[in-house]
Amino acid sequence: MQSFEHTPPEARELLSRPIRELGLRVEGSPLEKYVQQLYVELGARGLSCFRPAVYLSDEWACPDRQPVIGIPFYLADPKLQALERAINDLEDEREILMYLRHEAGHAFNYAYLLYESKEWLDLFGPFDRPYVDDYTPVPFSRKFVRHIAGWYAQKHPDEDFAETFAVWLTPDSDWRRRYKGWPALKKLQYVDRVARELSATPPRKALEVAVKELPVEEMGTTIAQFYEEHVQDEAAAVADLLPDAELEDIFVRKGEDLRPASALLLEHRKTLVDKITYWTGVRRSLIRKLVEVIGRRARELELCVERKREAQTVIEVTAFATALAMNYLTRGRFAER
């Protein structure tokens, strides 16, 4: 059961409201400027006939083979943003644009049926390959671009294309220089060439008839039910995770001008979660739980950090948590039980 005790009071009043009754819209919301930015970027790349529609849903997504972009509903309202920030961390401006570019890649693929061509299949792989959430990536493989957190392009050929498109679309990405000598460069060159060839060509699959999956107007669950169903419980994965000795190596109980270690971890939680997720590819919810468990155990042990050593301690905690995450990535668990 999801706990809401640490959520903002002004947002908590929405918990019992059905989502479809909140009157949420992209138009006039904080999201509108990002959607317009996406369209500007598409135009700058010469794609004059490709403007995928966007709609509010339960998550970032393009419905299967439908050239339309779903955006999480909580991004359309400041109170819901505050709730999401407290429960699950909130996407910042940079991340919102990254996700939009990624989903635009899916929509471009579906709009022009690129995945049906032999060249696409030769470069990215079989589009109909089974889609699995648990996959084992090859860290730092140069066959794939890097864009959103983790090694996401390695998840599926469709994700590989979407990530490649997103890198190509990103202003000032300098992809020719950055990926020079990488096998992934051929994929970027393919996107660049196909985009130029299709620049003035209407999509083969009409954008205006794309089928939306779970639009916000059909979301009958309450806000509380949404979080109870969608926020993954990672407690079992981190149970009995941390021997106290490791934490006592990093933090202290005696010293000058001390600060609780748990307070330091709370201050840097989002950055720790962002960066460890990005470089390891372990799912974000699990990394967040890992950081929370480290902070909770540090508090229980009454561990502290000397203020003059805060920067060094953050580095050490980052290295420690990253090592645990890589252990999980390669062995399926954080530590021996």
Side-chain angles (χ1 to χ4, degrees):
M1 182 68 68
Q2 178 66 43
S3 172
F4 299 103
E5 62 178 303
H6 298 299
T7 57
E10 64 275 14
R12 214 175 301 161
E13 65 186 25
L14 299 175
L15 291 172
S16 62
R17 299 277 302 277
I19 297 170
R20 67 186 174 199
E21 296 180 6
L22 296 176
L24 300 173
R25 297 167 52 87
V26 173
E27 296 79 10
S29 79
L31 282 169
E32 189 171 24
K33 64 179 180 180
Y34 301 120
V35 176
Q36 292 306 315
Q37 174 64 28
L38 173 68
Y39 292 165
V40 167
E41 292 175 6
L42 291 170
R45 288 294 192 179
L47 294 173
S48 59
C49 295
F50 178 63
R51 295 293 183 278
V54 302
Y55 71 103
L56 298 176
S57 187
D58 61 334
E59 63 181 350
W60 290 102
C62 265
D64 186 30
R65 308 182 202 208
Q66 300 294 325
V68 62
I69 298 173
I71 303 176
F73 68 90
Y74 54 77
L75 289 171
D77 180 86
K79 288 185 179 180
L80 293 175
Q81 288 182 357
L83 194 61
E84 174 70 13
R85 185 181 292 109
I87 294 173
N88 202 34
D89 290 336
L90 184 73
E91 296 94 324
D92 59 22
E93 178 174 333
R94 173 177 169 274
E95 291 167 325
I96 289 171
L97 286 169
M98 290 175 76
Y99 283 122
L100 279 173
R101 293 169 188 138
H102 174 93
E103 300 302 344
H106 285 303
F108 185 70
N109 189 19
Y110 305 158
Y112 290 94
L113 307 182
L114 300 178
Y115 58 87
E116 293 182 352
S117 71
K118 183 179 184 301
E119 185 177 12
W120 194 99
L121 294 170
D122 289 343
L123 276 172
F124 298 98
F127 181 82
D128 58 357
R129 195 180 83 189
Y131 199 97
V132 295
D133 286 327
D134 292 326
Y135 65 104
T136 303
V138 178
F140 304 105
S141 171
R142 294 196 166 196
K143 296 179 181 178
F144 304 90
V145 299
R146 294 294 309 280
H147 181 60
I148 59 177
W151 318 98
Y152 200 65
Q154 301 184 39
K155 187 171 187 176
H156 188 273
D158 194 18
E159 302 298 352
D160 188 7
F161 177 84
E163 286 287 83
T164 304
F165 182 93
V167 168
W168 169 83
L169 182 62
T170 302
D172 303 319
S173 64
D174 198 11
W175 56 266
R176 289 183 178 86
R177 179 195 60 79
R178 181 179 177 187
Y179 290 96
K180 183 178 181 180
W182 291 39
L185 183 62
K186 291 183 179 179
K187 299 174 184 178
L188 286 159
Q189 291 169 333
Y190 166 81
V191 170
D192 187 58
R193 175 175 57 79
V194 167
R196 281 186 279 106
E197 291 172 354
L198 298 174
S199 61
T201 303
R204 293 176 60 189
K205 191 165 189 173
L207 303 182
E208 60 271 17
V209 298
V211 179
K212 301 175 183 178
E213 183 176 324
L214 195 60
V216 71
E217 297 83 6
E218 297 178 7
M219 297 179 68
T221 59
T222 66
I223 297 291
Q225 289 169 334
F226 169 81
Y227 281 108
E228 288 165 359
E229 294 171 2
H230 286 76
V231 176
Q232 192 166 357
D233 184 3
E234 304 285 13
V238 295
D240 302 322
L241 170 64
L242 302 171
D244 294 347
E246 275 76 4
L247 297 184
E248 290 170 344
D249 282 345
I250 297 173
F251 302 112
V252 299
R253 288 193 175 91
K254 298 179 181 179
E256 297 180 359
D257 194 15
L258 296 179
R259 180 188 184 190
S262 57
L264 178 72
L265 289 167
L266 182 61
E267 178 185 341
H268 295 280
R269 184 190 67 189
K270 187 177 188 303
T271 302
L272 285 167
V273 174
D274 286 347
K275 297 307 178 184
I276 296 171
T277 299
Y278 181 83
W279 288 109
T280 67
V282 175
R283 62 183 179 270
R284 182 183 184 84
S285 60
L286 191 53
I287 297 300
R288 179 184 167 111
K289 191 65 177 182
L290 170 64
V291 174
E292 288 176 353
V293 167
I294 294 173
R296 184 178 67 241
R297 189 56 184 153
R299 183 174 62 253
E300 292 169 349
L301 294 172
E302 299 182 344
L303 296 174
C304 299
V305 57
E306 290 185 285
R307 292 183 185 275
K308 65 182 180 182
R309 296 195 68 255
E310 283 190 4
Q312 298 95 310
T313 303
V314 169
I315 292 171
E316 190 169 358
V317 170
T318 304
F320 172 60
T322 301
L324 288 170
M326 289 306 297
N327 211 26
Y328 182 89
L329 184 68
T330 57
R331 304 175 62 199
R333 58 182 183 271
F334 286 109
E336 292 287 352
R337 289 188 176 88

